[in-house]
Structure formats: C-alpha cells, structure tokens
Amino acid sequence: MNIIDLYDPQRVDKIPDDVKVLLDSGNFIQDEFKILKVELRLYVEKTDLSLGTYSLITSFVQTDKGSIEMIYDEGFRGEDSLLRSADFLTSNLGVSGLILRSIISLREKIN
C-alpha cells in the first residue's frame, strides 16, 4: 500500500527535484513495521523574482507494509532548503519522530 498523505496528491505526482536519503539500511524496526527507507524529497513548485523558489519538502517512509509520503515543510525557504531540513532532522533526533509520525499515519490508513 502506497499512501500520499497530502490534501492535493497531484503536487507530488512527478519526479522530485532532489532527494536526501536519511536511512536506507532496512534494519530498523518501529513497532511491528520494518523501516526500509526514509527520505526527504524536494519539489520546486514556483519561483518568485523577489522571494525565490517555493519549495515543498515531503517525508517518504518505506516499510515492509507499505509506504507513506507526507508534507514536512513548504514555503519560500531559500537555497539549500532540503539540505538544511535534513541537517536539522539528523542533528536533533528528528528522524525517529518522523518515523513514528509516519507509522501512526500508515497504521490508521491500513486499518
């Protein structure tokens, strides 16, 4: 089961402009879910001359029971927004919270 948990799933109905892999070992268990991959994905939606690029950053968590993609952040975040978001997550124990939030949403959609 692949879930796109966005109010407008067409926003991510394309190849991401950039991807940052946070976890790819496949040996992490959260509850009864085996976590195979965790990514942040960047979708550039528009560019404003004065504000810069409008970025949609999503989290993607792939498990042995399905995958889920959800909004992580969006807005005019400037250059290197994906790298800054990934750095923030990895340096502040945010990856485990991201996984837990994704598992809760995935479990709700499955049941």
Side-chain angles (χ1 to χ4, degrees), residues 5-100:
D5 191 15
L6 297 158
Y7 63 88
D8 183 5
Q10 291 184 342
R11 294 175 74 188
V12 296
D13 192 19
K14 60 182 177 178
I15 296 172
D17 295 291
D18 199 2
V19 175
K20 181 73 173 165
V21 177
L22 303 177
L23 178 73
D24 195 18
S25 62
N27 61 1
F28 180 78
I29 305 290
Q30 175 68 45
D31 299 335
E32 70 275 8
F33 291 82
K34 182 176 183 181
I35 309 303
L36 304 174
K37 184 185 287 188
V38 179
E39 299 176 343
L40 287 182
R41 297 177 172 183
L42 171 69
Y43 299 91
V44 175
E45 294 193 323
K46 61 184 172 183
T47 301
D48 182 273
L49 293 176
S50 61
L51 299 173
T53 58
Y54 189 91
S55 302
L56 169 65
I57 299 175
T58 63
S59 61
F60 174 81
V61 176
Q62 183 180 10
T63 74
D64 60 335
K65 298 180 181 175
S67 65
I68 186 162
E69 187 169 8
M70 305 184 302
I71 290 179
Y72 176 74
D73 192 17
E74 68 178 305
F76 293 101
R77 300 292 185 240
E79 297 299 315
D80 297 325
S81 59
L82 183 64
L83 180 60
R84 285 194 320 276
S85 294
D87 287 346
F88 178 80
L89 275 175
T90 56
S91 65
N92 293 295
L93 299 175
V95 177
S96 61
L98 180 69
I99 291 170
L100 182 58

